Amino acid sequence: MNGVNRMLKCFAICLVVLLSGVAGDASGNEGGQYNVREFGAVGDGMTIDTGAIQDAIDACSSAGGGMVRVPTGSFVIGTVHIKNNVTLSLDYGAELLGSQNQKDYPIGNLRPAREGNSECLLYAEDAKNIRLEGLGVIDGRGHPDFFPKRAGPGGKDTRPRLIRFENCQNVTFSGLTYRNPAFWGIHIVDCKEVHFTGVKVRMRNNHSNNDGLDIDACENVLIENCDIISGDDAICLKSTLGPCRNIVVRDCVVSSNTAALKFGTSSFGGFIGVNVSNCYFYDCPMGAIKLQSVDGGRLENVSISRIVMKEVGSPFFIRLGNRGRTYTENTKTGANQGADVRPEGAGVGSIKNVRVSDVVAEVTIEDREKAALAHYKRMKVDPTPGVTAREKSKAGPIMITGIPGHYIEDVVLENIVITYPGHGTAVDAKREIVEDVARYPEQFFFGVLPSWGAYIRHAKNVQFKNVKMTTLANDARERIVLDDVEQFGDE
């Protein structure tokens, strides 16, 4: 009953978030209009217009706020700072194009990033009432030819992300198309009252680490009616220091090479009160939904409902681990950790009160020709006949796993229909699965699991209610495998 009460409180909080988000949007930024051409911007696709556009933003903010208008044209810029009470509005046919010269992304006046590179195209810190809107395009043009990985001094990675906003309040992203960063896409850190509506993201097969939306340690966030196609995680909640709290995601269409929805991997602060509903996740070969606490944070009171998945890898991966990262200094990103990695010291968090309901999912083997479209990986189409072990591990079952002595608790899956590809062998059915307590948490790193429908380990009170799972091809593994599980129900 306590878990139910906490979930009801979560829903009440989410309703407040929705109302506050709508109210915040309605206020807008009153004031004059500042056309960037009047400040000297050329917009010919060649001239560097950073200074002119920054002058327009500075004038607008200094006057108390208003709209900085970007008319039709192709405006090449380096790092631009968005400031208090500024609406940056792009007309149809307007493009802000990232310079392809690394020197146009200085970091001397930027707060150092807690994770990854500090360089970015649009930047804000400690700002209030900022809004990006319109029918135009913000394109980082972050191709590997211009921004190779680890090309900075001493092998440092200096690829710019598209947007980095830190410690801002009342932030709105309305409309616009965001394309092709050299690193992460839209990164929001320590922000409150954030609204994404009608945003289009196009960041697939461009460069490594092209996340769509990274929401780090933010509170009261509404993401709705967005169309996201990303190379890396599409909607990614992070918590490097504080928690992500009171997050609503609804009515979104999402595709990703890596994950449609992910909590983590950065998870020191935790994730509390998250509601995801009425979304379509498609073409996600490495998995659709990943809920992870591996750096000591609490992940609790999460509701995911009304989800349709098509052509995805493993549908749900819920992982409590002990990587133990503390984020006291800038950290690298990525999964380049071996199986013998040791915990970093933060301790073990918790995962409790997760409810997933009304889901229809089609799990498929990854299309090899599609996989090779990620040209930055320099992959070729795999000619191996049949289905490989790696392909089976990506198209794996539901996986819910804690670690010895630390259990995932109170998880309900209800009204779920999943079709799996099958192809499991008798040898697969006998596999022993390593714990990998501290390793970067990716489900396929565990290899082919000994069940085709669900693998649950180190968990308490996991309930399957009206969960229907079938395979398209023969599979010699069990439907469900339990290991160190208390109070499991399958109705």
Side-chain angles (χ1 to χ4, degrees):
M1 183 60 69
N2 289 337
V4 173
N5 288 337
R6 285 193 292 269
M7 191 68 73
L8 290 174
K9 288 181 181 179
C10 174
F11 291 152
I13 291 170
C14 290
L15 180 60
V16 172
V17 173
L18 296 181
L19 294 175
S20 66
V22 171
D25 263 6
S27 63
N29 284 320
E30 301 296 332
Q33 185 178 120
Y34 298 78
N35 190 316
V36 297
R37 289 194 185 275
E38 295 176 1
F39 288 79
V42 178
D44 61 359
M46 296 179 289
T47 304
I48 301 296
D49 288 319
T50 308
I53 291 177
Q54 188 66 66
D55 287 346
I57 291 170
D58 292 348
C60 178
S61 183
S62 296
M67 176 192 291
V68 173
R69 179 187 167 203
V70 182
T72 299
S74 299
F75 299 85
V76 180
I77 59 171
T79 301
V80 167
H81 294 238
I82 310 298
K83 299 186 176 179
N84 286 336
N85 304 313
V86 168
T87 293
L88 182 64
S89 185
L90 276 65
D91 289 1
Y92 180 83
E95 298 178 301
L96 292 180
L97 303 178
S99 166
Q100 292 180 315
N101 188 336
Q102 183 71 53
K103 294 180 180 179
D104 290 321
Y105 299 92
I107 60 174
N109 293 324
L110 276 58
R111 184 170 294 158
R114 287 203 291 264
E115 268 195 299
N117 324 327
S118 294
E119 292 80 359
C120 56
L121 186 65
L122 301 185
Y123 178 76
E125 65 178 48
D126 306 331
K128 295 182 178 180
N129 307 320
I130 58 179
R131 180 182 177 96
L132 306 184
E133 67 170 26
L135 300 175
V137 175
I138 299 177
D139 188 339
R141 301 197 298 172
H143 194 276
D145 289 348
F146 298 95
F147 299 100
K149 295 175 70 173
R150 293 180 289 276
K156 183 180 179 182
D157 199 344
T158 56
R159 294 173 293 150
R161 65 196 83 193
L162 201 63
I163 293 173
R164 181 160 67 95
F165 289 173
E166 300 222 359
N167 194 39
C168 297
Q169 187 167 358
N170 295 330
V171 180
T172 300
F173 296 82
S174 177
L176 295 179
T177 297
Y178 298 89
R179 295 184 181 275
N180 300 334
F183 183 53
W184 289 350
I186 301 173
H187 190 196
I188 310 300
V189 185
D190 299 339
C191 294
K192 296 181 179 180
E193 316 301 336
V194 180
H195 188 191
F196 291 87
T197 180
V199 166
K200 183 180 289 187
V201 169
R202 295 293 182 266
M203 300 176 183
R204 193 159 187 165
N205 300 331
N206 170 68
H207 208 323
S208 300
N209 312 113
N210 278 180
D211 288 14
L213 312 182
D214 285 311
I215 313 299
D216 184 356
C218 295
E219 297 186 16
N220 303 337
V221 178
L222 172 60
I223 302 170
E224 61 178 347
N225 303 315
C226 294
D227 180 355
I228 302 172
I229 301 176
S230 67
D232 214 313
D233 304 318
I235 299 174
C236 186
L237 306 187
K238 298 175 175 287
S239 57
T240 49
L241 290 182
C244 266
R245 189 189 300 270
N246 304 339
I247 313 294
V248 175
V249 180
R250 65 184 186 188
D251 306 329
C252 292
V253 177
V254 183
S255 177
S256 165
N257 280 338
T258 307
L261 175 70
K262 181 177 177 181
F263 297 12
T265 300
S266 312
S267 49
F268 178 80
F271 311 95
I272 303 171
V274 183
N275 186 350
V276 180
S277 65
N278 196 30
C279 292
Y280 175 51
F281 299 158
Y282 70 100
D283 194 11
C284 303
M286 275 179 59
I289 296 175
K290 303 175 183 180
L291 311 181
Q292 305 171 347
S293 175
V294 298
D295 295 325
R298 295 157 49 207
L299 191 160
E300 59 187 52
N301 299 338
V302 174
S303 173
I304 299 172
S305 64
R306 300 175 62 200
I307 307 295
V308 175
M309 307 181 192
K310 187 175 179 64
E311 292 187 85
V312 301
S314 306
F316 307 112
F317 177 40
I318 305 178
R319 172 60 165 168
L320 176 63
N322 187 19
R323 182 176 67 170
R325 187 161 293 174
T326 58
Y327 302 94
T328 54
E329 58 185 20
N330 178 267
T331 61
K332 294 182 179 180
T333 64
N336 55 340
Q337 294 180 329
D340 58 348
V341 67
R342 305 295 297 172
E344 298 176 27
V348 182
S350 61
I351 297 179
K352 297 180 180 180
N353 298 325
V354 176
R355 183 180 183 88
V356 181
S357 62
D358 300 303
V359 174
V360 177
E362 176 192 79
V363 177
T364 58
I365 300 296
E366 182 175 16
D367 185 303
R368 294 177 181 179
E369 291 188 358
K370 280 186 179 180
L373 293 175
H375 58 85
Y376 59 89
K377 295 182 180 180
R378 296 181 175 87
M379 295 173 58
K380 295 182 179 179
V381 177
D382 187 349
T384 305
V387 179
T388 67
R390 182 181 176 88
E391 289 169 338
K392 280 192 285 187
S393 65
K394 285 186 176 182
I398 296 166
M399 187 176 189
I400 301 171
T401 180
I403 58 177
H406 299 275
Y407 293 83
I408 293 173
E409 301 181 50
D410 304 327
V411 176
V412 176
L413 274 66
E414 185 170 14
N415 300 330
I416 311 289
V417 178
I418 306 174
T419 58
Y420 290 100
H423 304 292
T425 67
V427 173
D428 296 334
K430 296 178 181 179
R431 286 198 72 241
E432 296 287 335
I433 305 303
V434 298
E435 294 287 353
D436 273 353
V437 168
R439 191 180 186 185
Y440 186 94
E442 198 64 74
Q443 179 167 330
F444 78 91
F445 288 178
F446 290 93
V448 179
L449 297 178
S451 56
W452 59 261
Y455 178 82
I456 306 171
R457 180 169 64 176
H458 308 311
K460 295 180 180 180
N461 191 25
V462 177
Q463 303 299 317
F464 280 21
K465 301 179 179 182
N466 191 31
V467 176
K468 299 177 181 178
M469 302 183 293
T470 57
T471 63
L472 296 179
N474 291 333
D475 200 302
R477 298 171 292 176
E478 296 291 329
R479 174 176 174 266
I480 297 174
V481 168
L482 306 178
D483 180 3
D484 187 24
V485 176
E486 300 177 14
Q487 296 176 278
F488 174 73
D490 186 10
E491 303 174 9

